[in-house]
Amino acid sequence: MSAAFDLTDDRPVYVIGGGPGGLAAAACLRQQGVRAVVLEKSDAVGASWRGHYERLRLHTTRAGSALPGLAVPRSFGRWVRRADVVRYLEKYAVHHGLEIVTGVEVTRVERAPDSADWLLHATGGRQLTGRAVVVATGFNHTPRLPSWPGREAYEEAGGTLLHAAAYREPAPYAGQDVLVVGVGNTGAEIAVDLVEGGAARVRLAIRTVPHILRRSTLGWPTQRTGILIRRLPTRLVDGAAGVLAKVAVPDLSAQGLPRPRTGLYTRARQGAIPVQDVGLLKAVRKGRVEPVAAVDSFEGTEVVLTDGSRISPDAVIAATGYRRALEGLVGHLDVLDERGRPLVHGRRSPQHAPGLYFTGFTNPISGNLRELGLDAPRIAKAIARRDRKAAATPRRQPPPAVPA
């Protein structure tokens, strides 16, 4: 994994991003006999996984998280740890003999002049030409920190405010009063991690009450249920999930965590994936994690909540999500929707941008890694078909020169 490869040779297929999606796409392209070069801006594969907090484990099963062509080792257990995900990705790259060039960030993709190829502008003034491009820069690309009123003054006054992307472990917060903002899977797990790591008080700011699911019930993982229900009518799934939640999940309204009013699958289709319970329900029930209203603003060293209350935590950790940050890379190609997400993904290219593919920008209820594993062979087959079609089409020869 180095910059030793000739990046300009043979108009390869360029895969932007050396995370799970990019590695899977490159491996499947290789299986199709298509040369693929992975361009990774960091110094190693799996950069985002290397930066996640230590406690993190996959919320999908080992078997349901493997990428094409290599199983996740059984020794990693059913719920794979963050560090083992990194080990798996490193092994995956070596196993498939992937061409990976690190330290190269692609900043813009555009049509090559006078051809159907793609021109990639990259660090160091590089201009790379490829016959197809797979964008796999990741669902969690750029941390999103809301522009709360008074935020900058709060930090200037010495308040500790960080995005969850910068959180690693609870030790620095032992004995402190911590506010976690956001109750997705990341916020919920960090809150539990802080409690178990010795924080004196942990509050969890909630704007929209989440659906909370057991990671597994009687050995049956929630991921399998997510796979089974993907094609069912939304109303049917919402109704069934509501009934199951009343049986499996306690009503914590008295503790500030009521049941959500919107159906589970309705929310999932809007992009709000259910929270997998890794200890939050127990922590809330025992009063160790205190749900509070959403953050409205900052005033001095105080945090003002939407219900008008004010608190003065020692630290604020914002689990407020990420941006795809694709606008600078491909926004000029009219291939993104109003929320900055690709209009198509997998084997489909945008109609007016053939040869451009996206993977890893959806977050289905059945698991992101599983979706990447499904996308990769489809993309590879689509590119291989495109190559065969191009090879079978006679190229136009320029007209003979007319003698002077």
Side-chain angles (χ1 to χ4, degrees), residues 42 86 98 123 132 153 184 222 271 314 316 318 321 331 393:
S42 72
V86 174
L98 303 183
T123 48
T222 297
D314 297 311
V316 178
T393 303

Side-chain angles (χ1 to χ4, degrees), residues 215-350:
R215 191 162 59 178
S216 65
T217 302
L218 299 176
W220 177 267
T222 297
Q223 181 190 14
R224 290 184 187 170
T225 303
I227 294 170
L228 293 174
I229 67 174
R230 283 195 68 182
R231 306 302 178 191
L232 294 178
T234 301
R235 183 179 298 180
L236 176 63
V237 177
D238 282 350
V243 172
L244 290 174
K246 290 180 179 179
V247 175
V249 178
D251 183 359
L252 298 175
S253 299
Q255 288 79 19
L257 191 62
R259 297 189 188 280
R261 296 180 179 180
T262 308
L264 180 150
Y265 206 28
T266 296
R267 291 282 309 282
R269 287 187 175 276
Q270 296 169 351
I273 298 302
V275 171
Q276 301 277 336
D277 180 40
V278 291
L280 180 65
L281 293 174
K282 180 179 179 181
V284 170
R285 187 173 66 248
K286 292 190 172 184
R288 301 182 71 192
V289 171
E290 306 168 46
V292 296
V295 172
D296 179 74
S297 61
F298 290 81
E299 288 188 12
T301 58
E302 291 185 322
V303 181
V304 183
L305 305 180
T306 53
D307 63 1
S309 59
R310 295 167 178 261
I311 60 176
S312 299
D314 297 311
V316 178
I317 301 174
T320 47
Y322 296 79
R323 295 187 297 107
R324 312 306 153 247
L326 292 170
E327 290 79 6
L329 186 68
V330 296
H332 55 286
L333 298 173
D334 195 26
V335 295
L336 306 177
D337 65 15
E338 67 280 356
R339 295 173 61 185
R341 301 172 304 182
L343 294 170
V344 297
H345 72 95
R347 65 174 176 268
R348 298 173 59 198
S349 282

